[in-house]
Amino acid sequence: MSKSRCSVALMSSVVATAKEANATGPKAVELVLVKEQNGMQLTNSTLLNPPQSPAQAQDRETWSKKADFLLSVIGFAVDLANVWRFPYLCYKNGGGAFLVPYLLFMVIAGMPLFYMELALGQFNREGAAGVWKICPILKGVGYTVILISLYIGFFYNVIIAWALHYLFSSFTTELPWTHCNHTWNSPRCSDARSPSSSPDPNDTFRTTPAAEYFERGVLHLHESQGIDDLGPPRWQLASCLVLVIVLLYFSLWKGVKTSGKVVWITATMPYVVLFALLLRGVTLPGAVDGIRAYLSVDFHRLCEASVWIDAAVQICFSLGVGLGVLIAFSSYNKFTNNCYRDAIITTSVNSLTSFSSGFVVFSFLGYMAQKHSVPIGDVAKDGPGLIFVIYPEALATLPLSSVWAVVFFVMLLTLGIDSAMGGMESVITGLIDEFQLLHRHRELFTLVIVLATFLLSLFCVTNGGIYVFTLLDHFAAGTSILFGVLMEVIGVAWFYGVWQFSDDIKQMTGQRPSLYWRLCWKFISPCFLLFVVVVSIATFRPPHYGGYIFPEWANALGWTIAASSMSVVPIYAAYKFCSLPGSSREKLAYAITPEKEHERVDRGEVRQFTVSATLPA
């Protein structure tokens, strides 16, 4: 009896010592019986799969509160596309029937990929490039997503500048897009397609005050002949862009300590405004017709391939995977944070927000359709045209229109800011984790990044800036993002290994991912992404803006931009392979083996060379 108590006491002391030595997460301690001497059992302990060193974990900055992280992720994932893209896709693709492929792809691809990125960043505690110490040859994937995030910043900040311009213009008794009596209006402008107007065979050539305000009053598009005639930057938009850049800098310069506070406003405000707009929208005449059109179920549309393709692409882009943002944000989590629960919460909130915003959008579209006695299809559109033309036109017809316009553009501003913050944080974290010199001068490096973004964004606020914007939107953030996510999931599931990745998650959360998640990472998600990449290339259509067709050199430039990010993967892989010592087999072994396992490679043990088709339970 006493011998048993002594043995248990000794084991407890060994375990306690191990816990104190590294308290960053749950541990597995192997106790081995060494010998029995004088009636006492002596044991030896070994820490299995130890997490990262305590020094590294302690040096890493962490979120002040768990809510800061959740709001940052939700704020990034819920962006302008939730308002201007999802509702239109739902309406166009069979209404409620569209939810079938959308929810299916969310469960088999969206959630698993989101979960994977959160876990990847949290365990390795580094940005998008640094996490690839799990498979050094694929570090180029990290640089690819950083480059894509930087490209997106060149044009995404311009949308926020447009919203800011509209916000300033809303502080007036009469909104400037209400009538055609302004200097920027053309003879084609017709004051609202009002029911009292007599039919005119030339109506198809007329434009509304809202459309002319956006294209002529804000963009000054009429002063440009095309992308080869950009003209100078418009000082009004450039000034708004400066304010956006200043706001971004002071939100990011101190890291998550400052950005985590900003998102308490930028991530919550859109929900308050959406609720207010919903209450106002459902009281408008024709709102019920609009909502009915939004939700009308046409299951026959599910037989069309385009519906499934739209759902698959929407899932990939709406959650923000493949941009390095989720990895960067989660790298500042505490090691033992429950990233699984975070993934479920944030993806669910994102989908519910997209679906709910449809009620807001289509209540106003139904009102506009009834007011102008036209089918809803004539007023329903997606993209900037919805939030900068159709919605402002609807708001201009309401009592207290200026107040509602201010509320609406404040929502757009906050929706855009936290998404832009996420993209910039991906670039900053990804690079300062790689280069210690940048880490020591984060504030200065952040200034360099936002200034570079500003200078290149100036091309998008020229007279022909909308053409540059369209080109970047079409090429910089399309197939390249899908390619980046595909390489990412292949690297984690097939090179690093699903079983090892599951071990990492167990160290953090104390529980191994279920067989479902491992199957998704290993087989379902890669196949899904491969399908989407192939489809996006096969169904490629050259960009256009209205009736303007881009010249061939512009399309070539667009593909060059897309290829510049994707090419980083093979270029870095070739560089890494050639720079390693040894034979070709040894080079490959070191290139695909996690850095922490290189000692095993020296002994000739390379688990990646062991073929296994099983997924242990």
Side-chain angles (χ1 to χ4, degrees), residues 161-334:
W162 293 343
L164 197 57
H165 186 286
Y166 268 81
L167 176 63
F168 290 149
S169 301
S170 300
F171 290 99
T172 179
T173 54
E174 182 181 81
L175 295 174
W177 53 85
T178 304
H179 298 295
C180 292
N181 56 354
H182 299 281
T183 56
W184 59 78
N185 290 127
S186 71
R188 296 172 53 201
C189 184
S190 174
D191 271 2
R193 297 159 290 184
S194 60
S196 58
S197 300
S198 57
D200 189 333
N202 295 320
D203 274 349
T204 54
F205 299 102
R206 296 191 178 279
T207 56
T208 64
E212 289 215 343
Y213 178 74
F214 179 58
E215 292 195 343
R216 298 173 67 91
V218 176
L219 302 183
H220 288 259
L221 185 60
H222 61 291
E223 298 181 31
S224 170
Q225 300 300 315
I227 195 170
D228 49 0
D229 178 30
L230 295 180
R234 306 302 307 185
W235 70 265
Q236 300 93 332
L237 288 179
S239 301
C240 292
L241 191 59
V242 169
L243 292 177
V244 171
I245 293 300
V246 170
L247 183 57
L248 283 175
Y249 175 71
F250 285 106
S251 298
L252 295 169
W253 71 321
K254 292 292 186 181
V256 296
K257 297 298 183 185
T258 52
S259 63
K261 301 298 181 290
V262 174
V263 293
W264 281 86
I265 298 175
T266 58
T268 57
M269 179 66 75
Y271 291 96
V272 176
V273 175
L274 277 173
F275 183 68
L277 289 173
L278 177 63
L279 293 181
R280 184 66 184 96
V282 295
T283 63
L284 296 173
V288 174
D289 294 333
I291 294 173
R292 187 181 294 117
Y294 172 54
L295 295 178
S296 62
V297 179
D298 183 6
F299 285 110
H300 294 291
R301 296 296 304 279
L302 296 181
C303 298
E304 300 177 15
S306 60
V307 175
W308 295 82
I309 293 171
D310 282 346
V313 173
Q314 176 65 15
I315 285 294
C316 288
F317 292 119
S318 67
L319 294 178
V321 293
L323 295 173
V325 179
L326 303 178
I327 294 175
F329 280 163
S330 62
S331 72
Y332 295 109
N333 275 335
K334 294 179 180 177

Side-chain angles (χ1 to χ4, degrees), residues 15 27 45 71 82 125 197 212 231 255 261 270 280 315 361 378 427 435 437 465 485 503 514 551 559 562 591 617:
V15 173
K27 325 287 188 304
S45 65
L71 288 174
N82 292 74
R125 304 182 69 75
S197 300
E212 289 215 343
K261 301 298 181 290
R280 184 66 184 96
I315 285 294
V361 171
D378 287 1
V427 176
F435 306 101
L437 177 63
V485 185
D503 283 345
S514 66
W559 277 115

Side-chain angles (χ1 to χ4, degrees), residues 397-472:
T397 64
L398 301 178
L400 300 175
S401 58
S402 295
V403 174
W404 286 109
V406 168
V407 169
F408 177 71
F409 290 111
V410 165
M411 179 190 72
L412 295 188
L413 187 64
T414 53
L415 276 173
I417 281 292
D418 44 18
S419 295
M421 284 167 52
M424 289 295 98
E425 188 61 58
S426 170
V427 176
I428 295 166
T429 297
L431 293 178
I432 66 174
D433 283 346
E434 281 299 291
F435 306 101
Q436 287 304 309
L437 177 63
L438 300 180
H439 195 283
R440 290 192 295 269
H441 303 282
R442 178 189 168 106
E443 296 176 12
L444 180 59
F445 180 61
T446 301
L447 180 62
V448 170
I449 291 295
V450 297
L451 284 179
T453 302
F454 166 74
L455 292 175
L456 289 167
S457 297
L458 287 176
F459 287 101
C460 295
V461 295
T462 57
N463 294 335
I466 190 65
Y467 301 126
V468 180
F469 173 92
T470 303
L471 193 72
L472 287 172

Side-chain angles (χ1 to χ4, degrees), residues 297-552:
V297 179
D298 183 6
F299 285 110
H300 294 291
R301 296 296 304 279
L302 296 181
C303 298
E304 300 177 15
S306 60
V307 175
W308 295 82
I309 293 171
D310 282 346
V313 173
Q314 176 65 15
I315 285 294
C316 288
F317 292 119
S318 67
L319 294 178
V321 293
L323 295 173
V325 179
L326 303 178
I327 294 175
F329 280 163
S330 62
S331 72
Y332 295 109
N333 275 335
K334 294 179 180 177
F335 188 81
T336 55
N337 176 65
N338 190 338
C339 54
Y340 168 71
R341 182 177 56 198
D342 295 343
I344 299 300
I345 291 173
T346 49
T347 52
S348 299
V349 169
N350 180 277
S351 296
L352 287 173
T353 303
S354 297
F355 181 66
S356 302
S357 65
F359 291 91
V360 179
V361 171
F362 274 86
S363 62
F364 277 86
L365 291 182
Y367 162 67
M368 290 296 293
Q370 177 170 312
K371 185 175 183 63
H372 299 309
S373 302
V374 296
I376 290 181
D378 287 1
V379 294
K381 62 173 66 177
D382 65 341
L386 173 64
I387 60 175
F388 291 114
V389 176
I390 301 298
Y391 228 94
E393 183 180 348
L395 294 173
T397 64
L398 301 178
L400 300 175
S401 58
S402 295
V403 174
W404 286 109
V406 168
V407 169
F408 177 71
F409 290 111
V410 165
M411 179 190 72
L412 295 188
L413 187 64
T414 53
L415 276 173
I417 281 292
D418 44 18
S419 295
M421 284 167 52
M424 289 295 98
E425 188 61 58
S426 170
V427 176
I428 295 166
T429 297
L431 293 178
I432 66 174
D433 283 346
E434 281 299 291
F435 306 101
Q436 287 304 309
L437 177 63
L438 300 180
H439 195 283
R440 290 192 295 269
H441 303 282
R442 178 189 168 106
E443 296 176 12
L444 180 59
F445 180 61
T446 301
L447 180 62
V448 170
I449 291 295
V450 297
L451 284 179
T453 302
F454 166 74
L455 292 175
L456 289 167
S457 297
L458 287 176
F459 287 101
C460 295
V461 295
T462 57
N463 294 335
I466 190 65
Y467 301 126
V468 180
F469 173 92
T470 303
L471 193 72
L472 287 172
D473 183 36
H474 198 81
F475 287 102
T479 305
S480 53
I481 292 181
L482 302 174
F483 171 78
V485 185
L486 175 61
M487 296 306 299
E488 187 177 283
V489 72
I490 289 175
V492 172
W494 288 91
F495 285 86
Y496 186 55
V498 166
W499 188 244
Q500 182 61 52
F501 187 54
S502 299
D503 283 345
D504 296 345
I505 294 175
K506 185 178 181 181
Q507 287 188 51
M508 295 187 294
T509 65
Q511 187 173 1
R512 186 183 301 279
S514 66
L515 180 63
Y516 169 76
W517 298 106
R518 301 201 301 273
L519 284 172
C520 286
W521 291 327
K522 188 82 171 181
F523 302 109
I524 300 175
S525 294
C527 291
F528 167 82
L529 288 166
L530 182 60
F531 162 76
V532 178
V533 168
V534 171
V535 165
S536 70
I537 296 174
T539 59
F540 172 78
R541 296 291 182 273
H544 65 88
Y545 182 79
Y548 178 77
I549 304 298
F550 285 79
E552 289 300 320

